[in-house]
Each structure stands twice: as C-alpha cells, then as structure tokens.
C-alpha cells in the first residue's frame, strides 16, 4: 500500500522516468474513458428514447463478482438497433468488462445466441423495437455459464461432431463431378443453413434432462447428410445407425421448442420426425 | 474450464409465461397421461369390489356417486381424457409429418374442443345430486 502512494508521488514529479510512460498511458486511457462517458452522456441527452438493458453478470474469477447478479444499462436507442448493438454500446461506454461473444453481426457466425426476454434469440438478428422494454439479457439456459453472457459450448460441439457432420461416400461416380439433383438439393436446403448457434439445444427440455441426447442441431446435421442422395446406400445405413441409437431421434418428444427458436427457420422437428420414419422404414421389412 | 454457475430448475419453470403452444401441449400431455394412469388404479380398485359380490359393487358405486367431489372429479377426468385423446391425434399427425406448420393451431383446437366437451358434460355428471 505504502509503495503505491510513493509511486504516485514520484510519478507526478519525474517526467522522464519509466513511470511517466505508464502514467501517460494511464492518463490517456482515463481520458478516453471519460470521453466515452461524456459521449454516452451526450448521446443520452440527445436521444429522447433510451432502452434499459438488464444484463446477467457473473465472473467466477473476480472476488465480489462470484455471485450472479443483474446489471442495468441505460442505452440511447437508435433506429434499427439490435440487441447486440445495445450490448456493444453498453460495453464500450459503460463497462468494458461486460463479456459476450459476437463476430459477424449478420446472423452468419452463430456466436451470439442469447436468452433475451425469456427466449433464445440471436442478438444481432433481434430488433430492439420487436421486444418489450426493459430488455432482459441472459446467457443461454441449460449450459454452463463461463462468464457474463458466455456459456460453455463444448458439449454442443461434441454432439455436432458425433454425427459425423461431413460429406462421405464409398460410391464415387465415374465422371468427374459428383452431381446432386435439383430436387435433392431442395430437400436438404433448409437443413444446410445451420449456423451452430446452439439456441435449439438450449431451448430443448429433453436435451436439458438427457445430456447424451444428440439434440436438434446435431440431428438436423445428420438429416442433411442422410438425405443427400450422393452419399449412397451404405452411407445412409451408417447414418441411420447413428441417428437411431438410444440417445438419438427417439428422444425427441415433439415439443417444437427448437423449431420455435431457430434463427435460421430450419424446420427442426419436421426433420427429426422424418428421420424417425426413415429409421422405422429401414428396420421394418414386410417382405 | 473455469467454474460455472448452474441456474437450476427455475430457468425452466420460472419462465412459464413464455412457453409456446408446443411446450404447453407437451406439458399437458404428460400431466394428463399421469392422471389417467392414476385413474386406472382407482378404477381397478372400484371394479374389484365386484369380486366380493354384485351388491357390494352396486353399493360402492352408489355411495361414490352420491358424493359431490366424485362427480366433480368425473368432470375433471373427462376433461383430462378428452385432451389426451385429442392431443394424441395431433401427435399422430406430427409423427406422420402431416401439417407440422399447423401444430400450434391444432393444440389450440384441442384445448377448445376439450373445453366444449367438458362444459357440455356438466349437466350429465352433476345432474340429480
Ligand atoms: S439448428 Fe438453428 S437453432 Fe440450432 S444451432 Fe442450427 S441455426 Fe442454431
Ligand atoms: S454476431 Fe454472428 S450470428 Fe450474431
């Protein structure tokens, strides 16, 4: 403690010492923060509309932040503002420790699935005007929270990997190209759109109760390849084998929760149901 | 991975206001299913009084039917059975992959039909008590 005070003394005195470098940086950072704050104040007074965000906060590594709590941020509303925009504003102007994932800002990368006003949504795809204010933002349910709005996605990725989410076949055509018919492409079209955001997995009560359940996204991924005619008969049998295992398609209880929340509008339940029928058809032979 | 925070069951049932149609259908179907199983046991218990003698059976039924609670419970049982049947049909279509886009409307229809059947049955069940 005493050293710190001494440091501060020397800092103000010696301009050319090493500490002054530190200090200038610190001061400029401080100024920057003050600027930000000022700009935020300006913004807030200029805009007649502000959105109140209630954001879930939790940081197990910092003493005093170990207990989960909600922080409130007052953010100036701008036309076309998304939930992600508001979070970015809050982070940049009020609390730089506010942590959340984002990258593309256009519903492509799938990194910002959040629990907004009690529903799984993509932060960047959700317009503020479509929500009830104040807006409550939490990390995805049914997943371990690592920090603030960040959840551990490892389990979800494991499930995705387990269905072998890549094209594979032992039936190579003689020509050079491996063509897909238009109809077949149409059939798998929706299922190819998954961005691995995990919103569906988070919304599913069955997945919450059974950790081994593949989950909607993984089954949809399996659908995408099982229905792809280019993979051939053998591969389809192999795929159906994975799908109809104990914790596969039969765990689905058609709650439609996943279909409801999927930001890419993939008819997940429909795909799962179709795979169920495929599985039955491949096992039942009446001749 | 660092420590993580488990938000517990509250995150499921604490947000019941936000449940969608499919979710409600799922919950009601489970609930009515369990009620029907429970009823099956009481049903067997009452029926088994017939193994003693015909009169005992008649007596048991008569004394049961004279109770208002039993009559009200019967209305409830009908409601539960009606919903379970109607939603069962809905699930059948879901399994066949027919009309999945209308599954929520089918649920609401099942609810309304259950309501109508239940109300219509009240005079029958509660009459003459
Ligand atoms: S299926 Fe939809 S909700 Fe699920 S991970 Fe893919 S994009 Fe997200
Ligand atoms: S930021 Fe990429 S999906 Fe939202």
């Amino acid at each position: 403690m005493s050293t710190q005070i001494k440091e501060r003394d020397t800092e103000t005195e010696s301009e050319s010492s090493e500490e002054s470098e530190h200090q200038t940086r610190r001061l400029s950072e401080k100024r920057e923060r003050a600027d930000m704050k000022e700009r935020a104040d300006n913004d807030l007074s200029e805009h007649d509309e502000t959105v109140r965000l209630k954001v879930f906060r939790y940081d197990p590594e910092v003493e005093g932040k170990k207990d989960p709590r909600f922080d409130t941020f007052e953010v100036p509303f701008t036309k076309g503002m998304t939930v992600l925009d508001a979070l970015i504003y809050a982070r940049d102007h009020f609390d730089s420790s506010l942590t959340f994932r984002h990258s593309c800002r256009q519903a492509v990368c799938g990194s910002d699935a959040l629990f907004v006003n009690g529903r799984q949504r993509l932060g960047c795809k959700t317009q503020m005007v479509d929500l009830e204010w104040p807006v409550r933002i939490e990390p995805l349910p049914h997943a371990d929270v690592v920090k603030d709005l960040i959840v551990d996605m490892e389990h979800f990725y494991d499930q995705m990997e387990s269905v072998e989410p890549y094209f594979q076949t032992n039936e190579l055509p003689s020509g050079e190209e491996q063509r897909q018919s238009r109809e077949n492409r149409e059939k798998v079209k929706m299922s190819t759109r998954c961005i691995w955001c995990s919103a569906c997995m988070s919304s599913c009560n069955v997945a919450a109760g059974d950790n081994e359940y593949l989950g909607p996204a993984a089954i949809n991924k399996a659908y995408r390849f099982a229905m792809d005619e280019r993979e051939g008969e053998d591969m389809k049998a192999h795929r159906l084998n994975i799908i109809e295992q104990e914790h596969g398609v039969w765990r689905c209880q058609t709650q439609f929760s996943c279909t409801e929340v999927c930001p890419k509008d993939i008819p997940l339940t429909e795909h799962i149901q179709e795979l169920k029928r495929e599985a039955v058809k491949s096992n039942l032979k009446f001749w | 991975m660092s420590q993580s925070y488990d938000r517990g069951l509250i995150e499921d049932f604490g947000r019941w206001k936000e449940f969608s149609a499919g979710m409600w259908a799922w919950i009601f179907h489970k609930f009515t299913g369990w009620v029907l199983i429970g009823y099956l046991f009481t049903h067997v218990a009452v029926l088994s009084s017939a193994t003693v003698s015909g009169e005992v059976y008649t007596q048991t039924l008569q004394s049961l039917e004279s109770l208002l609670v039993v009559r009200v419970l019967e209305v409830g049982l009908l409601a539960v059975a009606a919903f379970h049947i109607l939603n069962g049909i809905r699930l059948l279509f879901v399994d066949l992959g027919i009309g999945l886009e209308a599954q929520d409307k089918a649920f609401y229809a099942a609810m309304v039909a259950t309501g109508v059947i239940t109300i219509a049955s009240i005079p029958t069940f509660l009459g003459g008590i």
Side-chain angles (χ1 to χ4, degrees):
Chain A
M1 267 307 177
S2 59
T3 50
Q4 251 183 357
I5 293 165
K6 208 170 135 210
E7 210 175 68
R8 210 164 278 161
D9 284 339
T10 48
E11 259 171 24
T12 40
E13 279 158 23
S14 58
E15 294 277 35
S16 56
S17 76
E18 232 179 82
E19 279 143 26
S20 79
E21 219 176 282
H22 266 307
Q23 199 188 5
T24 28
R25 207 185 61 216
R26 239 191 18 225
L27 278 179
S28 81
E29 268 173 19
K30 208 172 157 189
R31 229 176 297 125
E32 219 171 278
R33 268 206 302 275
D35 281 354
M36 279 298 210
K37 186 81 189 56
E38 206 183 291
R39 237 184 300 156
D41 285 341
N42 273 345
D43 284 353
L44 282 172
S45 59
E46 270 172 31
H47 291 75
D48 23 276
E49 258 191 305
T50 60
V51 196
R52 182 169 299 154
L53 306 179
K54 293 198 165 145
V55 186
F56 180 93
R57 303 300 303 273
Y58 167 72
D59 187 353
E61 275 157 25
V62 176
E63 199 60 56
K65 290 188 176 176
K66 283 194 174 127
D67 287 326
R69 64 189 193 284
F70 279 89
D71 274 357
T72 308
F73 297 105
E74 199 84 42
V75 171
F77 173 77
T78 46
K79 192 159 172 264
M81 182 178 239
T82 63
V83 171
L84 182 65
D85 293 336
L87 280 175
I88 290 176
Y89 189 95
R91 181 197 60 196
D92 291 351
H93 294 82
F94 303 126
D95 184 352
S96 56
S97 73
L98 176 59
T99 316
F100 49 93
R101 290 192 185 102
H102 69 90
S103 174
C104 69
R105 303 194 194 182
Q106 49 184 332
V108 172
C109 70
S111 45
D112 65 338
L114 299 163
F115 198 53
V116 183
N117 279 1
R119 190 179 191 273
Q120 286 81 0
R121 308 177 208 247
L122 274 191
C124 58
K125 199 174 176 263
T126 308
Q127 288 287 320
M128 274 296 177
V129 283
D130 293 338
L131 297 170
E132 230 174 84
W133 297 3
V135 176
R136 201 170 45 128
I137 308 173
E138 293 163 78
L140 288 180
H142 304 136
D144 292 332
V145 184
V146 181
K147 187 187 173 195
D148 292 348
L149 298 175
I150 296 204
V151 293
D152 184 16
M153 299 277 281
E154 217 44 60
H155 174 65
F156 174 73
Y157 294 149
D158 285 348
Q159 301 306 73
M160 291 300 266
E161 292 302 338
S162 71
V163 298
E164 304 176 7
Y166 33 78
F167 186 86
Q168 46 188 351
T169 181
N170 53 7
E171 279 178 29
L172 284 175
S174 48
E176 278 172 12
E177 288 175 65
Q178 198 153 25
R179 292 197 149 191
Q180 183 174 31
S181 69
R182 272 176 192 283
E183 296 72 36
N184 194 225
R185 166 63 203 171
E186 240 354 87
K187 184 160 185 60
V188 298
K189 186 174 83 183
M190 290 311 279
S191 65
T192 61
R193 297 194 171 166
C194 178
I195 55 172
W196 296 46
C197 69
S198 180
C200 52
M201 186 77 139
S202 164
S203 75
C204 176
N205 282 63
V206 180
D210 173 6
N211 222 20
E212 280 173 67
Y213 175 43
L214 289 175
I219 296 177
N220 173 69
K221 198 40 98 180
Y223 175 96
R224 186 251 170 276
F225 290 107
M227 292 302 171
D228 193 321
E229 283 163 357
R230 294 169 300 169
E231 282 203 348
E233 284 303 312
D234 291 355
M235 214 24 94
K236 177 148 185 179
H238 169 66
R239 297 231 176 246
L240 284 178
N241 233 346
I242 299 176
I243 292 159
E244 62 174 2
Q245 51 169 305
E246 194 188 339
H247 297 277
V249 279
W250 298 109
R251 292 282 141 159
C252 170
Q253 299 181 15
T254 60
Q255 216 177 50
F256 289 92
S257 301
C258 53
T259 312
E260 209 77 36
V261 300
C262 176
K264 303 308 269 185
D265 296 324
I266 302 171
L268 294 162
T269 313
E270 201 175 317
H271 289 168
I272 298 174
Q273 293 299 86
E274 199 172 334
L275 284 180
K276 282 181 187 169
R277 290 196 296 277
E278 286 293 314
V280 172
K281 271 192 259 168
S282 77
N283 289 333
L284 276 186
K285 294 251 151 66
F286 292 110
W287 54 88
Chain B
M1 201 194 81
S2 54
Q3 254 176 298
S4 64
Y5 169 58
D6 178 12
R7 282 158 295 171
L9 270 185
I10 191 76
E11 71 185 14
D12 287 323
F13 297 104
R15 60 188 175 95
W16 60 274
K17 276 191 225 144
E18 279 118 11
F19 285 173
S20 58
M23 183 75 169
W24 280 119
W26 181 74
I27 291 173
F28 287 160
H29 203 76
K30 293 249 134 145
F31 174 74
T32 52
W34 283 110
V35 169
L36 287 175
I37 289 182
Y39 165 70
L40 222 60
F41 282 100
T42 57
H43 183 59
V44 169
V46 172
L47 277 187
S48 64
S49 65
T51 58
V52 185
S53 73
E55 288 100 74
V56 178
Y57 177 65
T58 315
Q59 254 175 23
T60 320
L61 270 196
Q62 270 171 352
S63 59
L64 275 178
E65 288 298 322
S66 65
L67 297 172
L68 182 66
V69 213
V70 175
R71 300 289 190 103
V72 173
L73 281 178
E74 275 174 340
V75 176
L77 180 66
L78 181 81
V80 159
F83 177 80
H84 203 79
I85 292 167
L86 292 169
N87 194 52
I89 296 170
R90 169 180 167 272
L91 289 179
L92 206 68
F93 281 111
V94 168
D95 279 340
L96 292 173
I98 301 169
L100 289 198
E101 329 70 56
Q103 57 89 12
D104 44 350
K105 289 182 207 82
F107 165 68
Y108 296 131
M111 289 300 278
V112 171
T114 305
V116 171
I117 292 172
T118 309
I119 291 167
S121 77
I122 287 177
T124 318
F125 279 119
L126 296 188
I129 197 165

